Amino acid sequence: MTTARQGTSRQGTSRQGTFVNAVQLVTAREIQARLRSNAFIVSAAILILAVVASIVVAGIVGKATADDTTPVAVVDGVSLTSTRGLDVTQTSSVAQAERLVRSGDVDAAVVPSDDTLGYRVVGLDDVPTDVVSALSTTPRVDLLDPGALPAGLVSLIGIMFGVVFFASAVTFGSSIAQSVVEEKSTRVVEILMAAIPARALLAGKVLGNSLMAFAQIVAVAVAAAITLAVTGQDNMFSMLGPSVLWFVGFFAIGFVLIAAMFAASAVLVSRQEDVGSVTMPVMMLVMIPYILIVSAADNPTIVGIMSYVPFSAPIGMPMRIFLGTAQWWEPILSLLIVAVSVVVVVLVGARIYENALLRTGGRVKLAEALRG
């Protein structure tokens, strides 16, 4: 009896070791295939250059804007010794001047004050340094909405997160789908199945492409950090740091879900011409967060919902962290939701992949692949 148990244990350990070795081999093959692909190298380089260029352009535009005259409202009765660099709009009351600040017609307002200087500066969401530096002396500064961020900056950061997520997910997801169908159409999969289990083949594909996608995201983050430091945008670097780190973490887990769905959908067909039709639902799930973040990055309700939906959490939650609207526990809860969703999708996807991998010819119905 003891000998039989020992033999069974050794067989289980041997099968487990064989499975792990198979996954490692497929993972290495997928990584090598991506590194040998000129299309992958070019697309990764374009993505990194696009992010770097956007940061450089934003810095140049910001400096150019600082060189222009600054619109400012001045209440009647306030005497300024110098208005150089200011585009002055006279107002009859403090309330009128503050309305101009809130509407965005002027960057700041100079209103009467009881202190020795005789006036103070009113800003909206940030200290109007251009106005303060243009005055001969430094007045007291009051902010009407100190916690707010400029809408243009919020939209720009949202678009950057969306573009990086969308480009990486589509690039590697499409590569997985094409690889699966190519192996089926050329009957290579039959040779592979004779040597390794179907689940090991799927795990290796997902793991290899996930590692490459993660490496690309890290490269983009490092390039962005270096560019911000070189261009002197230290304040933006400190503001973006936590949200970028969370974005990388969310993407590392969330892409596994997307990769499994691309593989499970592509295995239903045997021709490259049919890949687009079966992967379209997955493509839409990747596109929807991108569209939402581009069109409504400054909408707290939409961003809040996105931060808990597994397909959009890698964009939504980092945006909320950047805006400072997320409690300390919310990113952890959202990440747990994404992780649980990954487990469920991988298990279902593995069943579909295993049942449909050797079926060639026409398109395999999803219900049949689930039933096996």
Side-chain angles (χ1 to χ4, degrees):
M1 181 68 70
T2 302
T3 303
R5 289 177 180 174
Q6 291 175 348
T8 303
S9 176
R10 284 195 296 269
Q11 290 176 1
T13 303
S14 177
R15 284 195 297 268
Q16 183 179 3
T18 302
F19 181 86
V20 172
N21 291 336
V23 172
Q24 291 176 347
L25 288 173
V26 177
T27 300
R29 189 192 67 166
E30 291 294 320
I31 293 175
Q32 291 172 2
R34 297 288 83 77
L35 293 176
R36 289 196 301 264
S37 172
N38 292 330
F40 163 71
I41 296 175
V42 171
S43 62
I46 291 175
L47 180 60
I48 294 174
L49 288 175
V51 172
V52 171
S54 64
I55 294 174
V56 172
V57 170
I60 294 174
V61 171
K63 291 180 180 179
T65 303
D67 295 335
D68 296 336
T69 58
T70 304
V72 60
V74 179
V75 177
D76 292 339
V78 174
S79 178
L80 300 179
T81 57
S82 174
T83 59
R84 186 177 181 179
L86 300 179
D87 182 10
V88 177
T89 299
Q90 293 294 142
T91 60
S92 58
S93 65
V94 175
Q96 182 182 0
E98 290 184 353
R99 281 197 297 271
L100 292 176
V101 174
R102 292 185 183 277
S103 64
D105 293 331
V106 297
D107 291 352
V110 182
V111 302
S113 174
D114 296 333
D115 55 22
T116 56
L117 186 59
Y119 60 85
R120 58 188 173 89
V121 174
V122 175
L124 180 62
D125 52 30
D126 197 1
V127 176
T129 55
D130 294 340
V131 177
V132 174
S133 61
L135 300 173
S136 58
T137 56
T138 302
R140 191 182 79 204
V141 178
D142 295 335
L143 299 181
L144 300 178
D145 191 3
L149 288 171
L153 176 62
V154 174
S155 298
L156 177 62
I157 298 302
I159 290 173
M160 289 180 62
F161 279 139
V163 167
V164 173
F165 174 79
F166 177 75
S168 299
V170 170
T171 298
F172 289 95
S174 300
S175 297
I176 293 174
Q178 293 172 2
S179 175
V180 170
V181 177
E182 181 181 358
E183 290 174 353
K184 285 190 66 175
S185 62
T186 58
R187 300 298 181 93
V188 172
V189 69
E190 297 179 5
I191 301 174
L192 293 173
M193 289 283 286
I196 61 175
R199 292 184 178 236
L201 182 59
L202 174 63
K205 285 183 176 296
V206 171
L207 183 58
N209 284 275
S210 297
L211 289 174
M212 292 302 297
F214 179 74
Q216 178 174 283
I217 292 295
V218 171
V220 170
V222 171
I226 293 175
T227 305
L228 288 172
V230 171
T231 55
Q233 303 181 62
D234 298 334
N235 57 337
M236 184 61 65
F237 178 81
S238 60
M239 290 172 62
L240 277 174
S243 56
V244 170
L245 291 177
W246 276 104
F247 175 74
V248 172
F250 269 94
F251 185 88
I253 298 177
F255 181 78
V256 177
L257 181 148
I258 296 173
M261 294 187 68
F262 267 105
S265 58
V267 80
L268 299 176
V269 297
S270 302
R271 300 187 308 167
Q272 292 288 352
E273 295 82 357
D274 299 328
V275 174
S277 61
V278 293
T279 58
M280 182 56 67
V282 185
M283 194 73 71
M284 291 302 298
L285 290 175
V286 176
M287 289 181 63
I288 289 174
Y290 171 74
I291 295 173
L292 288 176
I293 203 66
V294 169
S295 60
D298 55 350
N299 188 313
T301 302
I302 293 179
V303 176
I305 295 173
M306 289 176 59
S307 65
Y308 285 102
V309 177
F311 302 103
S312 59
I315 301 177
M317 188 54 72
M319 276 299 299
R320 291 187 61 200
I321 294 172
F322 171 72
L323 295 172
T325 59
Q327 300 295 325
W328 67 268
W329 52 267
E330 290 190 87
I332 300 174
L333 176 60
S334 178
L335 196 61
L336 288 175
I337 293 174
V338 175
V340 172
S341 302
V342 167
V343 173
V344 174
V345 170
V346 167
L347 291 176
V348 175
R351 181 176 178 82
I352 296 173
Y353 188 86
E354 192 172 25
N355 293 334
L357 189 58
L358 292 179
R359 297 191 183 187
T360 57
R363 177 174 175 175
V364 181
K365 294 182 178 180
L366 180 60
E368 294 179 0
L370 285 172
R371 288 196 305 267

